């Protein structure tokens, strides 16, 4: 016999080898679908063949692909185009697999030669009956069914065993027996009655005990009681102190714990600035002073504005001499002092290339600008544009603000992840100790983007909800009317001891204002109620509950439902309480 192993079209060679190894058959038929990956690689087929040979197994390959079968046959596989044509060569089966059975000759059935003794039946103990004064008689059994025997080997049937001698009528006298008399019969009857009554009493005792147990432990009852509750609203102050080790009700303090994190956040923003980094226009102009006879000095960087509006700056300091005057033809003639100066455009770009023109100095008083001026006799040239993207200070400021907000948000999430239902962490209590910012470039630097990194340090003071509730209950204790207790659940009730406002935060302390909304009911003993309701009717139980506590409604569920009373076992009575706010009765008009 062989085992068929079906492989997927994308089955890995390691998976195929593992399936061959796990097979308990020696003869295995690997069935590959058309265009299977394994069938297209001679390396994979060799690996499967090698591993199968190491395990002592003969592997045949079934594939509709002629190419796959040719490859497999070259390696040594037995190949078949379909499952129906699988026919492993003979002589390759496992030694422990079933071999063809040889034809057997049917032997004659064994002959009953009659030598064996027949099984003895349970006979009536004649001797025992004889000892009681009775005669025993043998009962003939049905003749056995004879099986066919060889006539030549047939033996004679064994002789019947000799019958037992019948016992004497009084054979038990002198051997401890008893002769039936009237007194003996009375004794036997009394003994028989006792033997019958005792089991009856035992059964009755069991039935009575079972009945009592059933009465005590089978019936059960659940009473769902809705109780009126009185509202109690209060406002108390408390503190959370990291130096406290336990709750202090007198000081209204509970212990707190500092949770600190360091969070690093990175972000990138696109640069929005534009800058022309081409060459600047240069030229020479002549500065003329017709204003006065004084020398006027102008430092490097002094701006001059061409008639067309383009501006340039002096590349070096210039001292313009004063004007001089003379009389020509009876008229005074003023000759201005002149000085040549080198200038360049304030920015790169070809827009600053201009023809010869006049210039003013916009930084001197307006009255002087007509008398102290500049002129060029040749064109200004050399300016060339090359506009690039640069990082502006606005880009850096916006990125810094955004990354700081993200850094705080990530730190808050990290801190809150350390909280649980029991641990309270207030968002407003979060403290930012520092946020250091670094950027990849400075303002006005040529770059398409700017990356910023913020390393922030944060901390928060946390506290346990159970400590907070315990403190609130203790602070409310003096405000609860005598004989009342707080309830924390119910229908349409909100009992909340954790509604607090943050007043102040320091490195070691939180100050809170706690707005408490609670409800109180008259104190009662649940165990005492159960004792009073043992074995009473549901009607009496309803009246008892409304008398003992301010019950609004009672739903009684009994098991079994037909049982007329509440259980006689108090542990089988279950009380479930919920609370309802008592509505204020409007005053009568």
């Amino acid at each position: 016999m062989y085992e068929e192993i079906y492989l997927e079209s994308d089955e890995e060679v390691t998976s195929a080898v593992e399936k061959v190894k796990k097979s308990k058959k020696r003869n295995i038929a690997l069935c590959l679908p058309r265009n299977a990956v394994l069938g297209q690689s001679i390396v994979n087929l060799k690996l499967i063949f090698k591993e199968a040979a190491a395990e002592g197994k003969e592997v045949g390959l079934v594939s509709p692909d002629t190419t796959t079968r040719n490859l497999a046959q070259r390696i040594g596989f037995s190949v078949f185009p379909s499952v129906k044509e699988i026919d492993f060569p003979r002589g390759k089966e496992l030694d422990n697999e079933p071999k063809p059975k040889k034809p057997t000759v049917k032997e004659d059935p064994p002959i009953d030669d009659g030598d064996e003794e027949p099984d003895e039946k349970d006979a009536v103990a004649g001797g025992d009956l004889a000892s009681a004064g009775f005669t025993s008689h043998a009962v003939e059994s049905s003749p056995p069914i004879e099986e066919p025997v060889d006539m030549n080997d047939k033996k004679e049937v064994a002789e019947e065993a000799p019958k037992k001698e019948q016992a004497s009528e009084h054979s038990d006298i002198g051997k401890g027996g008893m002769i039936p008399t009237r007194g003996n019969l009375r004794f036997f009857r009394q003994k028989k009655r006792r033997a019958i009554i005792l089991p009856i009493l035992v059964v009755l005792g069991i039935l009575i005990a079972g009945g009592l147990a059933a009465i005590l432990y089978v019936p059960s009852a659940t009473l769902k009681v809705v109780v009126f509750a009185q509202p109690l609203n209060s406002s108390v102050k408390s503190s959370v102190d990291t130096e406290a080790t336990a709750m202090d009700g007198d000081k209204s303090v509970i212990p707190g714990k500092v949770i600190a994190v360091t969070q690093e956040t990175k972000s990138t923003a696109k640069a929005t600035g534009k800058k022309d980094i081409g060459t600047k226009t240069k030229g020479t102009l002549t500065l003329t002073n017709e204003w006065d006879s004084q020398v006027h000095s102008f430092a490097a960087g002094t701006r001059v504005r061409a008639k067309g509006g383009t501006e340039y700056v002096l590349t070096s300091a210039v001292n313009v001499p004063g004007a001089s005057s003379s009389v020509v033809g009876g008229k005074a003639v003023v000759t201005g002092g002149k000085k040549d100066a080198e200038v360049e455009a304030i920015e790169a770009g070809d827009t600053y290339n201009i023809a010869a023109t006049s210039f003013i100095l916009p930084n001197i008083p307006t009255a002087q600008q007509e008398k102290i001026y500049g002129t060029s006799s040749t064109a200004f040239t050399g300016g060339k544009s090359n506009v690039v993207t640069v990082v502006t200070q606005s880009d850096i400021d916006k990125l810094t603000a955004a990354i700081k907000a993200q850094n705080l948000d990530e730190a808050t999430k990290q801190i809150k992840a350390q909280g649980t239902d029991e641990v309270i962490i207030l968002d407003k209590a979060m403290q930012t100790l520092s946020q250091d910012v670094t950027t990849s470039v400075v303002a006005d630097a040529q770059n398409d983007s700017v990356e910023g990194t913020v390393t922030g340090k944060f901390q928060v003071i946390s506290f346990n909800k159970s400590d907070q509730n315990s403190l609130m209950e203790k602070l409310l204790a003096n405000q609860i009317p005598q004989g009342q207790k707080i309830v924390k659940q119910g229908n349409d009730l909100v009992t909340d001891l954790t509604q607090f406002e943050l007043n102040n935060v320091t490195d070691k302390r939180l100050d809170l204002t706690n707005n408490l909304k609670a409800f109180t009911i008259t104190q009662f003993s649940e165990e005492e109620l159960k004792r009073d309701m043992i074995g009473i009717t549901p009607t009496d139980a309803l009246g008892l509950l409304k008398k003992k506590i301010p019950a609004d409604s009672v739903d009684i569920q009994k098991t079994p439902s037909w049982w007329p009373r509440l259980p006689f076992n108090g542990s089988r009575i279950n009380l479930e309480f919920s609370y309802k706010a008592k509505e204020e009765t409007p005053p009568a008009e």
Side-chain angles (χ1 to χ4, degrees):
M1 296 298 291
Y2 63 89
E3 180 182 2
E4 296 174 5
I5 297 179
Y6 289 85
L7 303 180
E8 299 293 338
S9 60
D10 58 349
E11 187 107 7
E12 296 287 342
V13 66
T14 54
S15 174
V17 170
E18 187 68 16
K19 290 181 178 180
V20 170
K21 288 183 177 181
K22 288 184 178 180
S23 175
K24 296 183 180 179
K25 296 291 186 179
R26 180 184 178 191
N27 289 349
I28 300 169
L30 282 182
C31 302
L32 274 67
R34 188 179 299 276
N35 298 326
V37 176
L38 286 178
Q40 299 174 11
S41 171
I42 193 169
V43 176
N44 291 340
L45 294 176
K46 282 183 177 181
L47 179 59
I48 296 173
F49 188 86
K50 179 181 177 181
E51 294 295 332
E55 296 290 328
K57 298 181 179 181
E58 173 72 8
V59 178
L61 189 138
V62 181
S63 173
D65 289 343
T66 304
T67 303
T68 299
R69 294 201 303 273
N70 291 339
L71 287 176
Q73 193 170 24
R74 286 168 51 192
I75 296 169
F77 285 89
S78 300
V79 297
F80 313 102
S82 64
V83 176
K84 295 180 180 179
E85 297 183 36
I86 295 176
D87 185 15
F88 280 90
R90 295 184 58 83
K92 295 184 179 181
E93 293 81 11
L94 280 174
D95 296 334
N96 57 357
E97 290 188 359
K99 302 292 190 299
K101 294 185 178 180
K102 296 180 179 181
T104 57
V105 180
K106 185 175 182 182
E107 297 179 359
D108 294 332
I111 300 173
D112 185 4
D113 55 10
D115 290 337
E116 294 182 359
E117 295 273 340
D119 293 335
E120 292 184 1
K121 306 293 181 182
D122 293 331
V124 179
D128 294 337
L129 290 174
S131 64
F134 297 92
T135 303
S136 64
H137 300 278
V139 180
E140 293 183 359
S141 60
S142 301
I145 300 174
E146 295 183 356
E147 296 180 359
V149 298
D150 193 341
M151 298 302 295
N152 295 329
D153 295 334
K154 183 175 181 181
K155 296 182 180 181
E156 295 181 358
V157 180
E159 296 181 357
E160 293 181 0
K163 295 182 179 180
K164 295 181 180 180
E165 295 182 359
Q166 292 187 357
S168 173
E169 185 177 353
H170 302 292
S171 60
D172 59 342
I173 296 178
K175 298 181 182 180
M178 180 178 292
I179 300 174
T181 63
R182 181 174 295 179
N184 291 340
L185 290 175
R186 186 182 300 113
F187 171 76
F188 285 133
R189 292 191 185 110
Q190 292 175 354
K191 188 174 182 182
K192 186 175 181 180
R193 290 195 199 100
R194 287 197 296 271
I196 295 173
I197 292 173
L198 184 60
I200 293 175
L201 293 176
V202 172
V203 171
L204 288 175
I206 293 174
L207 292 175
I208 293 172
L212 291 175
I215 291 174
L216 289 176
Y217 295 101
V218 171
S220 64
T222 298
L223 289 80
K224 298 182 179 181
V225 186
V226 179
V227 182
F228 282 124
Q230 297 291 337
L232 176 64
N233 298 322
S234 182
S235 177
V236 295
K237 294 185 180 297
S238 66
S239 297
V240 180
D241 197 329
T242 58
E243 295 182 347
T245 57
M247 182 187 74
D248 188 339
D250 296 333
K251 296 182 180 179
S252 301
V253 172
I254 60 174
K257 179 182 177 181
V258 173
I259 300 176
V261 298
T262 299
Q263 180 66 36
E264 182 179 276
T265 305
K266 294 182 178 181
S267 186
T268 304
K270 289 184 178 180
T272 62
K274 299 295 179 182
K275 183 179 181 181
D276 195 334
I277 61 172
T279 57
K280 294 182 179 181
T281 299
K282 294 183 178 181
T284 303
L285 57 77
T286 301
L287 292 177
T288 302
N289 176 14
E290 296 178 351
W291 175 256
D292 57 15
S293 60
Q294 301 295 323
V295 176
H296 287 263
S297 298
F298 299 99
T302 300
R303 289 189 302 141
V304 294
R305 182 182 299 157
K307 187 177 181 179
T310 54
E311 291 190 355
Y312 306 83
V313 294
L314 300 177
T315 58
S316 59
V318 177
N319 295 319
V320 181
S324 61
S325 62
S326 60
V327 178
V328 178
K331 293 182 180 181
V333 177
V334 175
T335 303
K338 297 180 181 295
K339 184 68 176 179
D340 291 341
E342 301 294 328
V343 296
E344 68 176 6
I346 59 174
E347 293 179 347
D350 54 8
T351 58
Y352 292 89
N353 295 337
I354 60 174
T357 187
S358 61
F359 300 84
I360 64 170
L361 280 73
N363 291 336
I364 64 176
T366 304
Q368 296 180 3
Q369 291 179 6
E370 292 183 359
K371 298 297 182 178
I372 302 177
Y373 56 90
T375 58
S376 62
S377 58
T378 59
F380 285 6
T381 61
K384 186 177 181 179
S385 294
N386 182 15
V387 179
V388 295
T389 302
V390 296
V391 176
T392 65
Q393 185 61 46
S394 176
D395 294 336
I396 295 175
D397 293 343
K398 289 179 180 179
L399 176 64
T400 300
I403 202 170
K404 279 186 175 182
Q406 182 182 350
N407 182 247
L408 175 60
D409 185 58
E410 291 174 353
T412 301
K413 291 179 180 178
Q414 185 178 345
I415 287 177
K416 284 191 172 183
Q418 302 182 43
T420 62
D421 291 340
E422 175 63 17
V423 177
I424 297 176
I425 297 176
L426 302 177
D427 290 347
K428 294 181 179 179
M430 182 80 70
Q431 295 177 278
T432 302
L433 303 181
S434 64
Q435 278 187 308
D436 298 328
V437 183
T438 58
T439 58
S440 58
V441 294
V442 297
D444 207 36
Q446 179 184 349
N447 211 313
D448 292 333
S449 63
V450 56
E451 181 181 83
T453 302
V454 173
T455 302
K457 295 182 179 180
F458 308 88
Q459 75 173 27
V460 70
I461 298 176
S462 65
F463 54 96
N464 288 343
K465 186 176 181 179
S466 58
D467 292 340
Q468 172 74 6
N469 287 350
S470 297
L471 177 62
M472 295 303 100
E473 290 178 0
K474 186 168 185 178
L475 295 178
L476 282 174
N478 295 332
Q479 303 181 30
I480 299 173
Q482 187 174 6
Q484 299 283 311
K485 68 175 182 179
I486 294 178
V487 294
K488 303 179 181 178
Q489 60 180 350
N491 300 330
D492 303 321
L493 294 184
V494 179
T495 302
D496 200 340
L497 303 179
T498 61
Q499 294 299 314
F500 31 73
E501 298 174 1
L502 190 62
N503 298 336
N504 186 37
V505 182
T506 67
D507 290 345
K508 297 181 180 179
R509 188 180 179 95
L510 300 179
D511 293 330
L512 307 173
T513 296
N514 305 271
N515 302 308
L516 308 179
K517 186 174 183 180
F519 291 84
T520 64
I521 63 168
T522 303
Q523 291 183 350
F524 60 86
S525 171
E526 185 174 335
E527 293 302 320
E528 182 179 342
L529 284 176
K530 287 184 179 181
R531 288 196 301 268
D532 292 341
M533 289 188 290
I534 290 176
I536 66 176
T537 64
T539 302
D540 292 340
L542 178 60
L544 176 67
L545 286 170
K546 290 195 172 184
K547 180 180 178 182
K548 294 275 187 177
I549 59 177
D552 174 52
S553 63
V554 181
D555 179 22
I556 301 177
Q557 300 174 356
K558 297 187 281 76
T559 302
S561 58
W562 49 264
W563 192 258
R565 293 178 175 272
L566 268 62
F568 290 95
N569 183 352
S571 64
R572 304 288 293 172
I573 300 175
N574 181 36
L575 294 175
E576 296 180 1
F577 295 98
S578 60
Y579 305 95
K580 177 181 179 181
K582 189 172 184 179
E583 298 178 358
E584 296 290 341
T585 303
E589 295 182 358

